[in-house]
């Protein structure tokens, strides 16, 4: 029989799972001897049982009765005692903080009888009736689900009748009348009377808190914050203390040090004669906390002592809520305080300097997400802005430029030195040139894993996606907002990839000092505290981590940038982008070749171009490994779209303007068309089906490497075969590679240029038969994007537009498995592949390339399963370094 | 250090892995004391090492030397002795018989010197020179790779010079001159002399046999017969005996009983004064073996004794090769004899009656493939036929009908009572009505796993696919052969799905008595031996098997047929076919519905139609379980094709004939279009994304079941949710199902109609997290088609047309994983899913539905991993029953 109720004195801060964050910290403070109003906690387990069964678990009611009795004894008052009532607050509190997402009910225990006793005890009728009307109002809205406007309208009416706009002008009689009015509202809208039985009030309030775990806004918040959906909330039942019993009472919030800079000092606000909700409501102006020293030195000194105690105890910045009831200080809440990304770094290093924590702990206290946040340029907060719309924050950053609606215009304008933002309904691989040329990308369709978003994040380019209020008219070269504002080509817009906002005109941008430091244009120890803190923690992460961090880079530019960001090699150099642009025509000829001779001519023409590509990259990554993936996507991706071409040809025929070349092209496109190209002729299948294609690429790799090696450049090519499902495929390609390697042009000093041959593990089957595959592979790189697609059976291209939002909405996914690795499913295969591969080849090098390589949670998983490196987009390299370090200092 | 050479006396018949079939059986006969010419065997292991390294393994040469010496001692002759040479044959022999696929060299040991000694010993110059020229000819062609035409042309020239057309007219001098000519041919075409060193002859011949393992024709044969590609062949070195030493010599082949009927008796051929190759060449007419009794009673009687010995020893029909050298009988080969499918059944039961084997053994000796073979109608072998072309034998059977080129015509003509064959370039789901109406399907594109092939096999309908010499012109309603023969709509053609042949005109068809027996129109014990044998073995299979056999059936017709074929329930009732045809319009409205109201109207209209479907099937399957899969394919499959509609709309616009309805439809089609529909919005995702769709289907199931149950009909619906990847999906649908089940219309006698809820395991992730999924599923059905697609990452739709043939050609696949389950990859997931599922729900019912359910090898696997049932197309049900029985009596 589990226990469902704990007294504050029975818990501690490490029981957040069971008691929730708020409850655990109240327990901790109680045990530290701090002045916490007595109370008890109903566990998250009770909540889970309640939510599953729709009723309190057996035994919970009896436990509540028992703890309530203990509390009544401690306080010397009974709940609902008409002569001297105990009042309690009923507060939510989950394992993870979800501020404002769930419910709280105060003043539980008041009723038509006890309100008089409260008035007598407080010597304040107005206070008692105000407390009572607050209870009815909160109870009505929270527990009984009545629209809160009904209550606030009644308050407004009362004030109007009185001719005032200030609550403070309402007197005891006004509040007594309001209580009556409120009780009428309850009767009318809930179809029942406000309960006079205090225990019924309590039970219903507890249920309402339980239920609020599943409110839509709570669900949405959890999904955004990646908080599991099945934790449930605890409920704290706390004796009421009152900050609104006169000018010697009040309530406040405080931080134990400056949450923005980490500087020690007194940071907080205080409000006299008020309860916490008044501070939150922001109706009256608060005083700086320092003023409390004048108002109530005893309480102030006690509070300062408590803050020091808490900081030393938690060894971190804490935030607190407190109430002073007629000169007596009560602590209502504490927790490790939220802080800005910058403060996280500076506070962590400050605490190290103060000797409170060591560098490992400092590393644990910052996150990759915070670092990423610090790396983006920002729009100047204080600048004036005209908001056009808000889309999804798909790739962070701040971009300003002239709106353009097609790739060619983007490239042309960018060449002439203009900054442009590419605006599309959605993007596809043909827009790549335009995306490269643009400072940012704005789309009206697709979400965070759409093509635009993924590619933009890969490039570290700002993107706002799925701004679905925009009508994008590509043909007319303009977009229109829902307010009817039209933006034509050439008009300047500003897009904020961090919050998804789109502005008209140019908003001034502030650069990131952290990036300047990575780039080497700003140095440590030159006065920027943030840079100093980041540098110190990054250094520790690098010293600590076991995982290497490589970059996914296809160009010399990206490679160079990534190297400055700390990449220790290229983990994935895709070659498909090298087949686009100017070379499209050559590739088209290759695809359409009808004879061996034609095909070989196209390949021969591509060889020197591929050699240029690889030479540039090898130079940039001198001394570091460069993993080059042989061509992966279906060839027809390099041809025109079937539907578009069919329409074009049909119209040409209709107009009597038949173009034989286009007709022939259509025949070829139709022949190569696949129902499911993702599951078709691609990767190693392409290499086997198109003789000479892989050989040409391998030749380009080994020849350019051999030429550089002859010049004394240290090159480490790793040839990676994509989409292998059986070792026979790899053997076939390995034999072809061996032939190319045997050619004299692949040699340096009479021997083949050093290289490795490995494969991607990106199909479930490859993970399953990894032991066999490892016999023919010197390294594995887990392609977790494709592996996610096949393990789940959905493609990244299609899911965003169809059921994914519904799945996130319904909580079937907590987070997209394309964003953060699905450890249970896909992770099982990664673990299996790693283990099996090392069974037949113990020194097998294991890496992962894919979006997950830069995802914090995923990096920790890759560390745990023993990979050698993660590889991610250039911009994520510092994030991956930091998280790899954190993984190394985190408990398993 | 492995041993590479075994003397005949050292082996036995169970060592086929190591010694090959021929070698193992020669060893067995030697040990039975039968007259086998002495010899030894080089192992398959030596072959594998040779093929891997390109050279004999260390030690093999010394072992050969040693065994050769033993042989020479036994025979009292030395290889290459110019005075009395030992001659040997060098024969291939793999584990599995591959008749005619690999090489043999006879008379090794002859050279310019020893030919004279052989002549003296035989007292026959002609024989000696003939033997020598045979050696040079075989060695030249087989070992040195010279086109055999060069040799046969020389023989023809010699005969022409002599003025004869018969080899027998050539004399010793002619053969001596031919040897010189042949040696010249060798010099010219091989660039070397014919080797005079007998050991060199021997070694080169052995290498040639090793190499012949990898000849293209051997590879092709292995793929067709599903023989693993890495076994290698053994080589038998056998002392030569000669059947061509005069009229008291000869050679023959025999069966120990009639291979067509199984009747005991003497069945064989004999050729006097000849060697084995002469019999095979068919140049001279053979005598019936019975004639040997007159010619050489001693040898005949000895042969009869040996045949009895062999039958009693092998307990099966054997075939043998023998030679009589001057009155002395030598056994050259024996093996369990190949037989027709019909004979396999009749012989097996005959041997039971003779007490030689028991019924378990009889069951092991027939195969599902043989049974399937017996179930197809056949074209009359003796009828006159005009062959048009040969395609792939995609679905066996014999179909005759008027050629039609579209579904509508097929349906119309079939309705008027005409038999039609549907001819298409390839088929798609829209052709389904036409396929149902037709007696057979002929396509010019796609292979054995194309849509046409898979669907036709599913229906038990004859299909020839990929007849790529045909030009099919659907618009003109005709096809043209490569010879220019045109066949227009209405002309009758006959297609043979068993061998892929297509004939002009009507070829007479003979029905299968086995099917008549299954159908109940022909009875056991009424004079048809085959039917009696099949009935007896099927009964034993049914008594023995542990696996249940269900059917994949979507209609009452199929259900009834399958029931007669022995189906014990429906394992997969697809509902997508019920959304086509007349109901297409309703479905289109559902897909295009823009409001909840519109959607619900469409669903309400579909409900009674779905109820009719299910009612008919439940009635047909009374008393048996019926597993109904909720709608699986992407909704856009029910809409027009994007490209076609785009062209239509563009042309209409061009012509100024804009049709708003088609324009709106295009918008919807574009919206629903997916890059990879197989990986898109389908299965359970559809159920979650389209509210009410699954509920409507479940309602149709439970209501029709409840109505029938109220009438006393025994119904056992099992509701199956497709494409589940995570238990949350199943929970969401299960909740919806529970709501429908709670409706009074789903009740009978006041309680919900009995039913089960389960899921398909058809995604790798589902197998991985099966333990969780089983908590919400009463049964699993492994969808091995989809599971194969995602495990390998290729779709059945696309693979056929692209790289699959290349993969089969290169031996990367032995057999398509869509045909026979990929045990290593997909099988791993099936096993994992079964084990994990039963971990949390020990009584979980496990089945498999998918093409593999009727594949013999796969059925054995499903038996081994402990599934409860397999489900397959109606026509495969008897095959699955038989194989399930065989699995139960086979060693693991």
């Amino acid at each position: 029989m589990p226990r469902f109720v704990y007294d504050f004195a029975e818990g501690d801060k490490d029981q957040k799972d069971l008691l929730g964050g708020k409850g655990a910290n109240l327990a901790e403070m109680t045990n530290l001897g701090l002045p916490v109003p007595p109370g008890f906690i109903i566990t998250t387990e009770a909540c889970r049982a309640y939510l599953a069964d729709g009723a309190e678990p057996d035994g919970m009611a009896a436990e509540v009765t028992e703890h309530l009795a203990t509390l009544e004894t401690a306080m010397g008052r009974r709940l609902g005692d008409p002569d001297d009532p105990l009042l309690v607050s009923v507060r939510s509190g989950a394992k993870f903080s979800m501020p404002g997402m769930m419910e709280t009910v105060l003043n539980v225990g008041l009723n038509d009888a006890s309100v008089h006793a409260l008035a007598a005890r407080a010597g304040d009728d107005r206070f008692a009736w105000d407390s009572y009307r607050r209870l009815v109002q909160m109870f009505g809205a929270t527990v009984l689900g009545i629209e809160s406007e009904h209550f606030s309208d009644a308050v407004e009416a009362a004030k109007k009748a009185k001719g005032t706009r200030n609550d403070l002008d309402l007197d005891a009689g006004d509040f007594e009348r309001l209580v009556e009015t409120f009780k009428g509202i309850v009767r009318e809208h809930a179809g029942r009377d406000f309960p006079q039985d205090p225990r019924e009030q309590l039970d219903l309030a507890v249920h309402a808190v339980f239920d609020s775990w599943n409110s839509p806004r709570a669900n949405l918040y959890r999904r955004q914050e990646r908080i599991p959906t099945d934790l449930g909330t605890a409920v704290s039942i706390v004796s009421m203390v009152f900050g609104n019993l006169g000018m010697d009472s009040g309530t406040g919030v405080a931080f134990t040090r400056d949450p923005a800079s980490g500087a020690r000092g007194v940071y907080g606000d205080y409000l006299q004669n008020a309860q916490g909700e008044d501070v939150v409501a922001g109706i009256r102006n608060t005083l700086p906390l320092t003023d409390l020293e004048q108002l109530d030195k005893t309480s102030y000194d006690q509070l300062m002592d408590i803050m020091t105690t808490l900081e030393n105890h938690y060894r971190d910045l804490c935030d607190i809520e407190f109430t002073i009831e007629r000169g007596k200080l009560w602590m209502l809440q504490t927790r490790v305080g939220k802080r800005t990304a910058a403060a996280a770094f500076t506070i962590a290093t400050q605490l190290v300097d103060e000797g409170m924590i060591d560098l490992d702990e400092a590393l644990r206290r910052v996150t990759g997400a915070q670092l990423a946040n610090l790396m983006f340029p920002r729009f100047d907060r204080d600048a004036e802005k005209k908001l056009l719309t808000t889309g999804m924050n798909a790739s962070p950053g701040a971009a300003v430029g002239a709106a353009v609606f097609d790739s060619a215009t983007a490239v042309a304008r960018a060449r002439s030195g203009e900054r442009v933002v590419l605006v599309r309904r959605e993007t596809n691989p043909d827009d790549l040139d335009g995306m490269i040329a643009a400072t940012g990308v704005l789309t009206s369709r697709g979400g965070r894993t759409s093509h635009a978003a993924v590619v933009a994040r890969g490039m570290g380019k700002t993107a706002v996606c799925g701004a679905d209020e925009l009508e994008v008219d590509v043909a007319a070269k303009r977009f229109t907002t829902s307010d009817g504002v039209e933006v034509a080509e050439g008009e300047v817009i500003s897009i904020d990839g961090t919050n998804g906002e789109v502005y008209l005109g140019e908003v001034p941008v502030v650069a990131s000092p952290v990036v300047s430091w990575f780039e080497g244009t700003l140095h440590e120890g030159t006065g920027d505290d943030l840079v100093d803190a980041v540098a110190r923690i990054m250094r520790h992460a690098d010293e600590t981590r076991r995982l290497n961090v490589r970059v996914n880079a296809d160009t010399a530019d990206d490679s160079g940038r990534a190297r400055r960001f700390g990449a220790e090699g290229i983990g994935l150099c895709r070659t498909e982008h090298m087949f686009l642009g100017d070379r499209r025509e050559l590739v088209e000829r290759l695809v359409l070749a009808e004879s061996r001779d034609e095909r070989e001519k196209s390949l021969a023409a591509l060889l020197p171009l591929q050699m240029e590509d690889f030479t540039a990259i090898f130079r940039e990554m001198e001394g570091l490994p460069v993993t080059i993936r042989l061509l992966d996507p279906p060839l027809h991706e390099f041809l025109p779209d079937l539907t578009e071409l069919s329409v074009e040809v049909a119209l040409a025929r209709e107009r009597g303007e038949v173009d034989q070349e286009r007709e022939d092209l259509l025949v070829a496109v139709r022949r190569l068309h696949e129902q499911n190209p993702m599951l078709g002729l691609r990767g190693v299948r392409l290499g086997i089906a198109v003789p000479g294609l892989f050989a040409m690429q391998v030749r380009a790799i080994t020849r350019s490497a051999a030429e550089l090696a002859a010049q004394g450049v240290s090159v480490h090519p790793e040839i990676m075969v994509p989409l292998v499902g059986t070792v026979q495929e790899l053997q076939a390609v390995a034999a072809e590679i061996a032939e190319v390697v045997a050619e004299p042009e692949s040699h340096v000093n009479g021997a083949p240029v050093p290289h490795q041959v490995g494969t991607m593990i990106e199909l479930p089957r490859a993970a399953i038969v990894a032991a066999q595959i490892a016999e023919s592979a010197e390294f594995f790189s887990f392609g977790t994007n494709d592996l996610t697609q096949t393990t789940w059976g959905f493609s990244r291209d299609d899911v965003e537009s169809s059921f994914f939002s519904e799945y996130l909405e319904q909580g079937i996914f907590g987070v997209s498995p394309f964003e953060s690795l699905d450890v249970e499913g896909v992770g099982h295969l990664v673990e299996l592949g790693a283990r099996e591969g090392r069974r037949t080849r113990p020194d097998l090098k294991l890496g992962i390339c894919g979006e997950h390589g830069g995802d914090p949670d995923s990096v920790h998983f890759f560390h745990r399963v023993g990979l050698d490196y993660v590889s991610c987009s250039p911009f994520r390299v510092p994030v991956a370094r930091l998280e790899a370090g954190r993984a190394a200092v985190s408990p398993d």
Side-chain angles (χ1 to χ4, degrees), chain A:
Chain A
M1 186 80 178
R3 254 183 89 181
F4 294 115
V5 185
Y6 287 75
D7 193 82
F8 284 170
E10 294 175 305
D12 66 59
K13 73 176 175 10
D14 297 324
Q15 287 180 294
K16 292 195 176 72
D17 277 353
L18 190 66
L19 306 180
K22 183 180 288 168
N25 285 320
L26 284 171
E28 190 76 12
M29 286 198 291
T30 301
N31 289 317
L32 282 172
L34 304 186
V36 175
F40 57 88
I41 308 157
I42 306 177
T43 66
T44 56
E45 204 173 345
C47 175
R48 289 192 296 268
Y50 172 86
L51 292 175
D53 305 335
E56 283 185 9
D58 286 350
M60 177 181 134
E63 284 190 63
V64 168
T65 304
E66 187 187 313
H67 282 269
L68 192 57
T70 311
L71 180 61
E72 287 171 335
T73 307
M75 300 297 289
R77 289 178 181 139
R78 272 192 317 105
L79 194 71
D81 185 337
D83 299 326
D84 188 11
L86 170 67
L87 304 187
V88 296
S89 62
V90 176
R91 294 165 184 270
S92 59
K95 175 178 182 184
F96 300 102
S97 170
M98 295 168 57
M101 289 303 133
M102 291 182 300
E103 305 296 358
T104 288
V105 185
L106 304 180
N107 303 340
V108 167
L110 274 179
N111 56 18
D112 293 351
S114 63
V115 65
H116 298 288
L118 181 66
R121 189 167 92 212
D124 187 342
D125 276 7
R126 182 185 180 282
F127 157 76
W129 284 106
D130 184 18
S131 297
Y132 192 17
R133 73 91 196 173
R134 285 175 194 246
L135 169 62
V136 181
Q137 182 170 2
M138 288 176 112
F139 195 93
T142 301
V143 180
L144 302 176
I146 298 167
E147 294 279 344
S148 57
E149 280 73 16
H150 294 300
F151 299 105
S152 48
D153 287 354
V155 175
E156 287 311 305
K159 286 193 282 190
K160 201 169 173 190
K162 193 102 181 179
T164 179
R165 307 180 73 172
N166 193 335
D167 285 15
L168 288 179
D169 292 334
L170 298 178
D171 61 22
D174 294 324
F175 283 123
E176 186 171 357
R177 275 184 298 279
L178 266 179
V179 166
E180 276 318 298
T181 310
F182 282 7
K183 288 202 280 191
I185 290 172
V186 166
R187 212 170 297 122
E188 182 185 351
H189 292 279
R192 62 159 293 168
D193 282 328
F194 172 77
Q196 291 292 321
D197 175 0
R199 178 60 190 263
E200 187 184 359
Q201 291 173 6
L202 178 67
D203 289 344
L204 290 177
V206 168
H207 298 172
V209 171
F210 282 166
D211 286 329
S212 69
W213 173 259
N214 275 337
S215 72
R217 62 178 182 174
N219 274 316
L220 184 66
Y221 183 87
R222 281 196 295 272
R223 282 200 299 276
Q224 286 168 343
E225 300 293 318
R226 300 188 184 182
I227 297 173
T229 202
D230 55 357
L231 298 177
T233 182
V235 184
S236 297
I237 316 290
V238 195
S239 319
M240 284 297 302
V241 290
F242 295 96
N244 54 347
L245 275 175
M247 297 310 278
D248 57 351
S249 301
T251 191
V253 295
F255 291 93
T256 57
R257 63 177 68 206
D258 183 345
S261 73
R264 273 183 180 270
V266 179
Y267 295 85
D269 302 297
Y270 183 69
L271 191 57
Q272 276 182 295
N273 195 18
Q275 271 194 293
E277 59 188 290
D278 300 318
V279 181
V280 175
I283 301 168
R284 284 186 284 151
N285 286 334
T286 56
L287 304 172
L289 183 58
T290 40
D291 287 6
L292 180 61
E293 189 166 12
Q294 267 74 49
L295 298 171
D296 180 350
K297 183 148 184 11
T298 313
S299 294
Y300 180 79
D301 289 344
Q302 191 187 356
L303 186 64
M304 292 302 113
D305 283 349
I306 288 172
M307 280 164 67
T308 305
T309 303
L310 286 174
E311 263 225 348
N312 289 334
H313 186 69
Y314 283 88
R315 296 178 303 125
D316 205 349
L317 169 139
C318 296
D319 69 19
I320 58 172
E321 289 180 28
F322 64 92
T323 281
I324 297 174
E325 183 182 304
R326 290 185 174 160
K328 160 81 176 141
L329 175 68
W330 293 102
M331 297 300 297
L332 299 188
Q333 178 167 326
T334 191
R335 64 182 173 196
V336 169
K338 296 216 169 177
R339 64 205 75 182
T340 64
F345 280 86
T346 48
I347 292 176
T349 51
Q350 224 156 9
L351 291 174
V352 172
D353 290 336
E354 292 172 20
M356 286 174 72
I357 61 174
D358 63 11
L359 267 168
D360 280 1
E361 179 62 24
L363 183 53
R364 279 191 287 269
R365 290 199 181 171
V366 294
T367 68
Q370 289 166 333
L371 179 62
N373 197 289
L374 294 174
M375 289 177 65
F376 294 108
R378 289 272 172 83
F379 287 125
D380 186 344
R381 279 171 224 279
D382 306 324
E384 203 143 317
K385 309 181 189 78
K386 174 166 171 40
L387 186 68
L388 289 173
T389 191
T390 303
M392 264 183 267
N393 49 346
S395 178
V400 178
V404 295
F405 295 83
D406 61 283
S407 207
T409 309
V411 172
R413 286 194 177 226
R415 273 204 189 125
S416 69
E418 197 175 358
R419 290 182 304 168
V420 297
V421 172
L422 181 64
V423 185
R424 303 282 291 169
R425 261 198 291 255
E426 56 203 332
T427 66
N428 64 47
D430 266 337
D431 295 317
L432 210 72
D433 288 344
M435 293 178 74
I436 292 170
T439 62
V441 181
L442 168 63
T443 69
S444 61
R445 291 175 55 175
R448 285 196 194 82
T449 64
S450 64
H451 177 269
V454 171
V455 174
R457 279 201 298 274
M459 297 177 175
K461 191 145 294 193
T462 303
V464 171
C465 292
D468 54 12
E469 287 172 7
L470 298 185
E471 270 296 321
V472 176
D473 188 337
V474 169
K477 302 199 164 192
R478 64 158 180 260
F479 70 80
T480 315
T481 70
S482 54
D483 305 337
V485 179
E486 272 193 23
V487 175
E489 181 174 289
E491 285 190 65
V492 171
I493 57 173
S494 302
I495 64 173
D496 189 334
T498 310
N499 60 16
E501 292 182 341
V502 180
Y503 309 104
L504 187 64
E506 172 164 354
V507 178
V509 169
V510 186
S512 156
V514 172
V515 169
S516 303
W517 172 69
F518 281 125
E519 296 273 9
T521 55
L522 182 64
H523 296 284
E524 205 182 334
T526 51
D528 188 312
D529 287 349
L530 174 60
V531 164
D532 291 353
V534 168
R536 194 161 160 199
I537 291 182
M538 286 306 292
R539 201 159 40 240
H540 189 65
D542 286 342
E543 286 163 7
T544 309
R545 68 190 159 91
R546 193 185 50 63
L547 276 174
N548 280 334
V549 176
R550 296 195 190 181
V551 67
N552 300 346
D554 313 341
T555 63
D557 275 3
D558 272 357
S559 307
R561 185 184 199 186
R563 202 167 181 162
R564 292 190 294 278
F565 280 176
E568 295 160 305
I570 292 183
L572 174 63
C573 173
R574 298 177 195 87
T575 52
E576 45 265 36
H577 296 162
M578 302 170 185
F579 277 53
L580 292 172
D582 298 347
R583 303 174 188 173
R584 207 176 178 104
E585 205 183 313
L586 270 178
V587 177
E588 207 166 287
R589 262 190 273 150
L590 169 67
V591 178
L592 302 180
E594 287 183 351
S595 68
R596 188 188 154 130
D597 197 51
E598 276 176 47
R599 192 173 54 234
E600 290 189 349
K601 253 186 218 158
S602 307
L603 288 171
L606 281 165
L607 176 64
L609 302 173
Q610 282 265 280
M611 284 182 65
E612 276 174 33
D613 301 327
F614 298 142
T615 300
I617 290 171
F618 286 146
R619 273 194 192 286
E620 198 68 55
M621 297 306 273
E622 178 168 11
L624 297 177
V626 175
T627 307
I628 297 170
R629 178 172 76 182
L630 301 179
L631 197 67
D632 183 49
L635 279 186
H636 68 75
E637 279 200 9
F638 303 101
L639 296 181
D641 175 75
L642 172 62
T643 298
E644 282 173 24
L645 187 61
S646 298
V647 168
E648 179 197 318
V649 166
L651 287 177
R653 283 183 201 156
E654 175 79 9
R655 290 168 190 153
E657 302 161 354
V658 173
D659 175 344
Q660 195 51 46
E661 214 168 281
R662 303 299 281 175
E663 295 272 350
D664 293 346
L665 186 61
L666 177 58
V667 171
V669 168
R670 210 182 272 142
R671 179 168 50 81
L672 289 167
H673 183 70
E674 295 180 304
Q675 286 300 318
N676 297 281
M678 191 66 76
L679 301 176
L681 178 58
R682 46 175 293 235
V684 65
R685 300 162 195 163
L686 199 64
I688 290 174
V690 182
L693 174 63
F694 276 9
M696 180 279 287
Q697 293 199 290
V698 172
R699 205 164 274 131
I701 294 168
T702 54
R703 289 188 183 182
S704 53
E707 279 177 12
L708 288 171
Q711 297 163 28
V713 180
S714 160
V715 287
H716 303 275
E718 302 182 340
I719 300 167
M720 183 155 74
V721 183
L723 214 72
V724 161
T726 166
V727 68
Q728 276 84 6
E729 292 171 314
L730 190 57
Q731 286 166 346
V733 176
E736 203 177 359
I737 293 174
E739 279 177 34
V740 172
V741 168
E743 294 167 357
E745 295 92 336
S746 302
H747 287 215
V748 66
N749 299 327
V753 69
H755 67 281
Q756 292 197 329
V757 176
T759 187
M760 291 191 74
I761 302 292
E762 51 186 336
L763 294 173
R765 195 178 194 281
I768 293 166
V769 301
Q772 288 172 32
I773 292 178
E775 289 178 353
S776 295
E778 290 168 279
F779 64 88
F780 281 176
S781 180
F782 290 93
T784 50
N785 294 348
D786 269 55
L787 194 57
T788 298
Q789 292 192 126
T790 43
T791 303
W792 279 94
F794 43 59
S795 79
R796 199 163 55 168
D797 295 341
D798 294 317
V799 289
E800 276 296 306
S801 52
S802 52
F803 62 93
F804 243 50
S805 56
E806 193 64 34
Y807 268 38
L808 290 166
E809 193 69 37
Q810 296 199 18
I812 290 174
F813 292 151
V815 53
S816 162
F818 290 115
E819 237 176 89
S820 190
L821 191 85
D822 157 36
V823 168
E824 222 168 30
V826 180
H828 170 89
L829 290 172
V830 171
E831 215 171 339
L832 178 69
R835 190 175 63 234
E836 285 289 294
R838 287 217 167 117
R839 189 157 64 77
T840 50
R841 188 187 287 260
D843 66 343
L844 182 70
K845 186 162 50 182
L846 295 174
I848 172 264
C849 59
E851 285 288 301
H852 303 103
D855 171 69
D857 288 347
S858 310
V859 169
H860 286 247
F861 172 78
F862 298 133
H863 169 88
R864 281 200 304 278
V865 299
L867 301 198
D868 295 306
Y869 67 86
V870 297
S871 187
C872 55
S873 55
F875 211 66
R876 303 296 289 183
V877 166
V879 174
R881 284 164 58 202
L882 183 73
E883 289 292 349
R886 295 186 67 221
V889 298
S890 295
D892 274 342

